[in-house]
Amino acid sequence: MIGDYLGYATTFVGAGLISGAVVHHPLDPDRYTVIAMIGALVFLAATVLNEFILKRQRPSASQVVAIVLASLALSFGIGMLSGGLQHFEDFPARAAMLIPFGLALSFVAYVLRYQTDRWRSIIGPTGIVVLITAAVAFVGLRGIAADMAAESEGGGHSHGEEVTGETESAETGSGGDGHAEESGTSAPSSSPSTDETGSSGSKEGAGHSDDGHAH
C-alpha cells in the first residue's frame, strides 16, 4: 500500500514540478532549470518504483531504456500542456507554443510508453487527428496571444496620449497665464505714458490759453 501510494504521488509531484519549471523558466532560468531537473528525477524515481520495484516481472535492459525515455518525454509533454493551460494569461506567447507541442509530445510518449504494440497509430488516423488538433491550437492560440499583446500595447498608447494631452493642456494654460501676465505688466507701463501725454497736452493747452489771455 505504501509503495503504491509513493509511486502514485511522486509521479504527479514530478510532473507538477516540470510543468511549473517549463512555464516559468524565462523569469529565472537558473532556478527553474534546477526545478525541472528535480522534477525529472522525481518522475523517473516514480517510474522505477512503479515499473521495476513494485512489479515482480523484470524487464530487459532495452525495455528499461525505452520505458525511462518514454516516461521522461511523457512527463515533459504533460508538463508543457498543463503548465501552458494554467498560465496562458501570464505568458500568452509562450503558452501558445507549449500547449500544442505538449499535446503532440504527450500523445507520442504515451503510445510509446503504454501502447507499444500500437505504435503505428502515431502515423495513422489517430496521430493525424492529434497533429491537426495541435496545428489548429497553435494557430488559434497564437492569434489570441497576438490580440492580447495588441490590447495591452493599445492601452499603454492611449494612456500615454492622455498624459501627453494633459501635459500639452497644462503647458498651454501656463503659456496663456504667462501672456496674460505680460499683457498685464505692460498695461500699467502704457497707461502712465498716456496720462503723461494727456497731462502734458493739457499743460501746453493751458500755456497757450495763458499766452492768449496774455496777448
Side-chain angles (χ1 to χ4, degrees):
M1 178 69 71
I2 296 297
D4 292 336
Y5 165 75
L6 290 176
Y8 187 85
T10 51
T11 298
F12 286 94
V13 169
L17 291 174
I18 291 172
S19 65
V22 167
V23 176
H24 297 96
H25 188 267
L27 299 178
D28 191 345
D30 295 335
R31 174 187 176 189
Y32 287 107
T33 298
V34 173
I35 293 176
M37 294 175 62
I38 294 174
L41 292 175
V42 171
F43 195 91
L44 289 177
T47 301
V48 171
L49 179 62
N50 291 328
E51 300 297 331
F52 307 136
I53 296 177
L54 298 179
K55 285 188 176 181
R56 296 181 179 180
Q57 185 179 1
R58 301 294 180 180
S60 62
S62 60
Q63 289 177 335
V64 170
V65 174
I67 289 173
V68 169
L69 293 178
S71 298
L72 189 60
L74 181 60
S75 67
F76 272 91
I78 293 176
M80 293 166 66
L81 181 60
S82 63
L85 290 172
Q86 293 179 50
H87 298 280
F88 185 82
E89 293 185 359
D90 301 324
F91 308 97
R94 184 176 179 82
M97 293 187 295
L98 291 177
I99 293 173
F101 282 108
L103 175 62
L105 178 60
S106 61
F107 170 74
V108 173
Y110 174 80
V111 173
L112 295 178
R113 172 64 183 83
Y114 294 104
Q115 303 287 337
T116 54
D117 57 334
R118 302 180 60 184
W119 64 270
R120 297 179 186 276
S121 62
I122 296 175
I123 57 176
T126 305
I128 293 175
V129 171
V130 173
L131 180 61
I132 293 175
T133 303
V136 172
F138 177 77
V139 174
L141 293 175
R142 284 292 297 272
I144 295 174
D147 291 340
M148 293 175 65
E151 290 178 359
S152 177
E153 292 177 359
H157 286 305
S158 64
H159 181 69
E161 290 174 359
E162 290 176 359
V163 173
T164 305
E166 292 176 357
T167 306
E168 291 178 354
S169 299
E171 291 177 354
T172 305
S174 62
D177 294 340
H179 288 301
E181 290 175 359
E182 290 176 0
S183 61
T185 306
S186 60
S189 62
S190 61
S191 60
S193 61
T194 306
D195 295 340
E196 289 175 359
T197 305
S199 60
S200 61
S202 60
K203 287 179 180 179
E204 291 177 358
H208 286 299
S209 62
D210 291 342
D211 293 339
H213 286 297
H215 289 301

